[in-house]
Amino acid sequence: MTDRPLAFETLQIHAGAAPDPATGARQIPIYQTTAYVFRDADHAAKLFNLQEIGYIYSRLTNPTVSALANRVCALEGGAGAICCSSGHAAQIMALFPLMGPGRNIIASTRLYGGTMTQFSQTIKRFGWSAKFVDFDDLAALEAAVDDDTRAIFCESIANPGGYITDLDAVSAVADKVGLPLIVDNTSATPYLCRPIEHGATLVVHSATKYLTGNGTVTGGIVVDSGKFDWSKSGKFPSLSEPEPAYHGLAFHPALGAMAFTFHSIAVGLRDLGMTMNPQGAHYTLMGIETLSLRMERHVENARKVAEWLEKDPRIDHVTYAGLPSSPYHHRVARICPKGAGALFTFAVKGGYDACVKLIDNVKLFSHVANLGDTRSLIIHSASTTHRQLTEEQQIKAGAGPNVVRVSIGIEHADDIIADLDQALAAATA
Ligand SMILES: *Cc1c(COP(=O)(O)O)cnc(C)c1O
């Protein structure tokens, strides 16, 4: 291949992959193995010392899983990446090297419901905490930062849809206060949004969604931009100071832009064990080969469905940033130039009861707690994914009782619209 940079469409097929050195297999084999034979005792010692890079044990690294990490890293424009067992595992893995007991993160109020619960409840068990702030209020964001804050966290196209975070403005605040910005890019995918180009330090993904694309896998990925100076503030001792959990290696000075990635493998995956399996990595690699094609159709269908819904008298409002009526429409061209994604919400006249009837009457749509499938999906967030939240939190998160969330698939748009039409007729009769 030539030296000119390859386009996204080419990288999604070729990045991280080469014909198998042992057999010439064109597709990346599923290396279904737990361990790897060392050449000799010296080779083994060098691998454990990180003096030579190679495979030891599949809890740490595996060739199929590494191919996926390298591919997503290339698509996001990062320096290194690690795969994890789920999107939620990826979030813990992203925070793990940065945090410690008593430390906190500042998180956007507009997040996937499960992330809200992970951050507001579960991370307390580690002595970590989260403060939730409206990321459109940059002064409030900056004011929430204290001496114990170690990261700022948001989603690019945020759950449950219709909101686009001004990543340029948020990363400017992160730079000012000297903290890493972590962006969950699950709903956008790197085809629609590349957070590192907008100042993100780390990008996290649930590979369960659009990256795999067909609802077959649970997986997660963390991509490091390699751009954050972990040594500068003294706030990230796991990376900048001798790490007792890895015989005193100071990862940041020693490994430069790869410090976070190596720490995440050598300490994070080794000790937390949130590892992706090679079968899962294979399915996600297959999905990514068609990512751009699918995302184009997802976006086109979402726009058609949102436009149709907005004109329908049975609908109170539609929150899709791809619509000119959206207060976030002006951010699309800058943050996600290839489209506002395919996840959005709409409010049905008739409130909670009409929403429940609508859900019970769809035929083509699947009523599932998932998003980013080839199939169109629907859920009433207030009674499911956002059920753990108070009504005030639900409304703040855009998941009030009269709101339905859809993840528009890649079926024919006319069929998707026809299904919503008949279900709305039943719901509002
Ligand atoms: C699904 C999802 C997650 C969690 O991912 P899992 O793979 O289900 O653990 C996190 N963030 C967003 C935006 C998601 O859509």
Side-chain angles (χ1 to χ4, degrees):
M1 290 193 204
T2 59
D3 286 339
R4 58 184 278 279
L6 297 173
F8 190 97
E9 289 78 353
T10 309
L11 290 172
Q12 74 186 359
I13 296 168
H14 292 281
D20 180 46
T23 61
R26 174 63 272 196
Q27 194 47 275
I28 302 161
I30 302 169
Y31 285 91
Q32 197 70 44
T33 184
T34 308
Y36 308 83
V37 178
F38 306 124
R39 286 194 303 269
D40 51 35
D42 181 52
H43 178 222
K46 282 194 171 126
L47 291 177
F48 277 91
N49 271 340
L50 300 181
Q51 285 165 315
E52 188 179 323
I53 300 308
Y55 297 99
I56 297 174
Y57 188 70
S58 284
R59 175 155 30 81
L60 312 175
T61 48
N62 167 285
T64 315
V65 177
S66 297
L68 173 60
N70 292 335
R71 184 164 299 174
V72 176
C73 185
L75 296 177
E76 288 287 5
I82 46 151
C83 295
C84 312
S85 51
S86 70
H88 271 357
Q91 291 167 192
I92 297 296
M93 287 290 295
L95 292 173
F96 176 67
L98 320 183
M99 301 290 280
R103 307 305 185 200
N104 67 67
I105 62 170
I106 313 295
S108 169
T109 46
R110 298 175 183 88
L111 293 176
Y112 179 73
T115 305
M116 290 288 259
T117 311
Q118 186 186 56
F119 287 175
S120 64
Q121 306 300 329
T122 304
I123 63 171
K124 285 188 199 158
R125 307 282 188 96
F126 307 144
W128 309 348
S129 62
K131 301 188 218 177
F132 295 94
V133 176
D134 177 351
F135 274 33
D136 280 341
D137 187 345
L138 298 171
L141 169 60
E142 191 177 334
V145 173
D146 64 33
D147 288 346
D148 286 320
T149 306
R150 291 295 177 269
I152 295 174
F153 188 102
C154 63
E155 296 177 5
S156 47
I157 298 179
N159 261 276
Y163 178 81
I164 293 176
T165 305
D166 187 346
L167 297 179
D168 300 314
V170 170
S171 74
V173 174
D175 283 349
K176 188 173 168 199
V177 297
L179 291 173
L181 171 64
I182 307 174
V183 177
D184 181 337
N185 201 31
T186 299
S187 310
T189 80
Y191 184 65
L192 301 181
C193 175
R194 306 224 312 160
I196 291 171
E197 290 171 3
H198 300 280
T201 305
L202 302 174
V203 179
V204 295
H205 276 283
S206 167
T208 315
K209 314 294 169 51
Y210 293 105
L211 292 183
T212 309
N214 47 31
T216 49
V217 156
T218 304
I221 299 167
V222 186
V223 181
D224 176 24
S225 64
K227 291 183 178 158
F228 195 83
D229 182 348
W230 301 108
S231 300
K232 194 174 168 192
S233 66
K235 286 183 174 171
F236 304 99
S238 287
L239 291 164
S240 66
E241 281 165 34
E243 168 63 271
Y246 208 84
H247 48 75
L249 177 67
F251 282 80
H252 184 238
L255 295 156
M258 292 302 284
F260 177 92
T261 304
F262 275 101
H263 188 283
S264 294
I265 296 167
V267 182
L269 288 177
R270 186 197 63 184
D271 296 349
L272 300 178
M274 298 172 168
T275 306
M276 181 184 278
N277 66 75
Q279 280 281 346
H282 167 75
Y283 287 122
T284 304
L285 280 163
M286 295 306 96
I288 290 176
E289 292 194 351
T290 57
L291 181 63
S292 66
L293 300 171
R294 287 184 287 108
M295 293 315 292
E296 273 171 17
R297 181 60 62 85
H298 277 296
V299 166
E300 185 187 319
N301 282 355
R303 187 181 48 74
K304 285 182 182 162
V305 175
E307 281 171 0
W308 178 81
L309 283 167
E310 191 170 49
K311 288 195 208 107
D312 195 286
R314 295 165 294 190
I315 302 301
D316 193 52
H317 62 267
V318 181
T319 55
Y320 180 53
L323 292 172
S325 60
S326 163
Y328 306 107
H329 187 66
H330 67 286
R331 291 180 182 166
V332 175
R334 182 163 47 89
I335 305 292
C336 44
K338 293 203 178 92
L343 188 68
F344 64 87
T345 64
F346 57 91
V348 184
K349 287 180 187 159
Y352 191 99
D353 294 340
C355 288
V356 170
K357 274 193 206 151
L358 169 71
I359 302 272
D360 281 341
N361 280 283
V362 289
K363 296 191 173 86
L364 186 67
F365 274 80
S366 303
H367 179 204
V368 297
N370 191 17
L371 59 99
D373 196 320
T374 46
R375 278 152 278 270
S376 290
L377 313 176
I378 191 163
I379 198 156
H380 182 220
S381 303
S383 60
T384 55
T385 53
H386 287 60
R387 196 186 178 85
Q388 317 279 337
L389 309 182
T390 64
E391 187 168 327
E392 195 199 335
Q393 283 176 316
Q394 287 174 348
I395 291 167
K396 254 194 196 159
N402 60 337
V403 171
V404 169
R405 186 189 79 185
V406 284
S407 169
I408 301 298
I410 59 175
E411 305 99 332
H412 198 290
D414 293 350
D415 293 331
I416 301 171
I417 289 170
D419 191 39
L420 286 175
D421 191 25
Q422 65 79 25
L424 276 167
T428 57

